[in-house]
Each structure stands twice: as structure tokens, then as C-alpha cells.
Amino acid sequence: MPLFAVPPPEAARRDLAQVLAEGPFSRALSLAIDRSGLGLARLGSRLTAAGVPVSTTTLSYWRTGRTRPERPHSLRAVTVLEDVLGLPARSLTGLLSRPGHCGAPDPVGWERLWGPRNGVLPVLRSFDAADETSLLVLSLHEAVYVGADRCLARLRVREVVRAIEEPVQARVVALRGCAPGRPPRLVSTRYCRAVRTEVLAEPGFVISELVPARPLAVGEIAILEYEFEYTDDVPDTSYDRRFRHPVAEHLVEVHFAPEALPSACHAYRLDGPAGVEREVAAVPVAPETPALCFASEVGAGIRGLRWGWP
């Protein structure tokens, strides 16, 4: 049964029909909500009554494009929304499942990257932007610094991103320290700002949600720069980055203090944290120059560098 008493203007009807046919999902949901006359609180009540509760904050993020439904519970909620909003079956879910929707492939699960029993997973899932796809990472440049004590000292990151849906949502980044109880800390940002940071002291994690310094239009390019500082004093022999989405290019450079120059270094790829190292390649190490590893068209998974001393 329609949820509005007076038909909307013909132009609005045509706009909704076109967006339901072409996407994006966020725009279609927003127009459908406007047409229904229901507020987010009432929509939330309908979803709760149907057994698929969704917070008004999450509904707001879905309609503005800051996040999108990814998990089975969320997709069931979208199916209920189609009925509540008087839309044809699969009109919204079809936009989510369409190949190439939102301009980016579906991300791999956090479980694949961190392991199904990792204690960081519940905190990652608490970030509404953890399943983001509105920012497409075009280029990722990381600089890791190893001190004379052979401990990781700091990590500097520069990301070049393109907005593929608006409003632009956040980037969620997670970094693990080398010892329990001594997590890294976010010490600076440039061209972006942290809107939320969670520290998991015991497992040694820090998770930050970063947003661009200003709203971006669809197609616009931006730079995000941020720096973490390691706080533990445990020597480490590797650094890796975990990719949920493909990235056009990735460069990691490891700067060793002259007193801590390793005897060997190699790059590798993992499908998961318990996987076997693949695509192993020797990386030259020399005084006064960083160890470098560059890859293009990087797929989802784990990529890193490993080194050792005599």
C-alpha cells in the first residue's frame, strides 16, 4: 500500500524512476524517503518491527552516501525498506548488487585480513564508515622508519583518492603495534582530520576515522596525509598493509637507521594472515637509501616487506 496520500509531482516521479534504473543507491534511497514523507525515526521503527533494526544514524549515512549496506543484516533491511517505501522488489538491492556499482568493487571482509577471531573486528565494525566505498584510493605511498634500536619508529602515509559518490565518507585506517599494551598513536594529519580514534591498548591497535578537509564533488581528487608514531620498544622485522579494495598503485619505502641496516629484505603478498607468502621478491638494501617496493593494480589482500639482521 502506498505510504503517501497525494501523488508526487510528475517530475519527481520521473527522477525517482530514472535513479532506480541507473543508481546510485544513496540517491535512489534519498528520493524514495522524500517521496514517502516518512522521517528516519519512523523508518527505523518500521524496520525494528520487521525484525531488522537499523539506527537512524546508519539510515542517514545510507541516504547521503557516507556508507552503504554491505552485511547480510543490512541487505535484509534494504529489502524491507523497498516494501515500506512502496518500491518494486529488488529496486534498491539491485543497485547494490549491480557489477561496478558506486564505481568500486565490493571490498573483502575484515575477517579475511585480520583473522576471524581477532579482537579488533568488533571495533572495526562499530565504525559506520568501515565499509566505505565513496573514496577510491588511486595511489598509496607509505614511508616506514626503523630506528637504531631496530624498532619501528613512525609511519607516514600519503593517499591520493577520488570521490566516487557524495557526500564523501571517511577512510578508516587500522594500525597494530609490535607489542601488546603499547599501541601506536596518530600524531598528525594533513588535508584531512580525524573524527574518531579508538585505542585498543591490550592487543596494541589504534583505529582512526579520517575525513577530507572539505566536502568533495563526485570525480574530484584529494590528498590525505597522516602520520602514526610507534610507542613500543620491541624490534620488528616486517611491515604490511591490508587492502580491502584494489588500489591502482602502492609504494612502500622502509628507511633504516645506519646502525640498523638489515642484511636482507624481501617483498611478499599474503591472501590472509595465516597464508603462505607469495610473489616473494628480493629488495635491495643500501646505506642512505630506503628499501623500496612498488606495485600497480594491487588486489585485495596483504602486501608487505620483511627483513632480517645478521
Side-chain angles (χ1 to χ4, degrees):
M1 177 181 295
L3 299 172
F4 43 88
V6 180
E10 190 59 34
R13 194 191 299 271
R14 287 197 304 269
D15 287 346
L16 177 58
Q18 180 177 354
V19 176
L20 286 174
E22 301 175 0
F25 167 83
S26 58
R27 178 64 175 161
L29 178 62
S30 183
L31 289 179
I33 291 174
D34 291 343
R35 184 189 72 161
S36 73
L38 293 172
L40 296 184
R42 291 181 63 191
L43 280 179
S45 297
R46 299 285 183 92
L47 291 173
T48 299
V52 282
V54 175
S55 71
T56 55
T57 299
T58 297
L59 289 172
S60 176
Y61 283 179
W62 288 356
R63 75 172 297 182
T64 59
R66 183 171 178 182
T67 61
R68 60 176 181 146
E70 295 282 358
R71 303 169 192 136
H73 175 90
S74 298
L75 296 177
R76 288 195 299 272
V78 174
T79 300
V80 175
L81 280 175
E82 291 170 344
D83 183 55
V84 171
L85 295 173
L87 300 174
R90 290 199 53 77
S91 55
L92 292 178
T93 53
L95 294 176
L96 290 170
S97 61
R98 179 181 301 170
H101 71 83
C102 295
D106 290 336
V108 301
W110 287 111
E111 296 86 350
R112 171 179 161 183
L113 299 180
W114 292 107
R117 295 179 179 84
N118 197 304
V120 75
L121 295 179
V123 180
L124 279 169
R125 295 190 183 108
S126 74
F127 283 80
D128 288 301
D131 290 321
E132 58 82 17
T133 52
S134 292
L135 287 178
L136 180 66
V137 180
L138 304 176
S139 175
L140 175 62
H141 181 186
E142 305 183 90
V144 183
Y145 294 83
V146 181
D149 57 0
R150 301 184 178 182
C151 300
L152 300 184
R154 63 187 184 276
L155 167 68
R156 292 175 177 169
V157 182
R158 186 175 194 262
E159 299 188 12
V160 180
V161 299
R162 173 184 289 132
I164 56 176
E165 191 173 330
E166 59 179 349
V168 175
Q169 61 191 58
R171 288 272 295 143
V172 174
V173 293
L175 185 64
R176 179 179 55 190
C178 303
R182 302 286 295 277
R185 59 173 176 260
L186 181 68
V187 294
S188 68
T189 60
R190 190 180 185 195
Y191 312 126
C192 61
R193 59 189 176 89
V195 294
R196 178 184 170 192
T197 296
E198 296 288 340
V199 177
L200 285 70
E202 186 55 34
F205 276 93
V206 59
I207 306 168
S208 288
E209 184 177 10
L210 308 174
V211 298
R214 62 174 178 79
L216 304 176
V218 172
E220 190 173 357
I221 303 296
I223 296 173
L224 310 179
E225 294 183 358
Y226 49 94
E227 180 176 351
F228 287 95
E229 187 175 85
Y230 290 88
T231 64
D232 53 63
D233 55 0
V234 177
D236 201 1
T237 58
S238 68
Y239 171 79
D240 64 52
R241 166 68 69 149
R242 308 187 181 209
F243 295 91
R244 297 195 68 211
H245 306 267
V247 172
E249 63 175 28
H250 175 225
L251 172 65
V252 59
E253 55 185 72
V254 182
H255 296 256
F256 296 97
E259 304 89 337
L261 200 65
S263 58
C265 181
H266 70 267
Y268 62 88
R269 177 183 68 81
L270 298 173
D271 292 327
V276 177
E277 290 187 358
R278 305 176 186 277
E279 300 177 19
V280 177
V283 175
V285 177
E288 300 181 359
T289 60
L292 297 176
C293 180
F294 175 81
S296 59
E297 303 302 326
V298 178
I302 303 172
R303 287 187 174 268
L305 285 173
R306 192 178 304 279
W307 54 86
W309 289 276

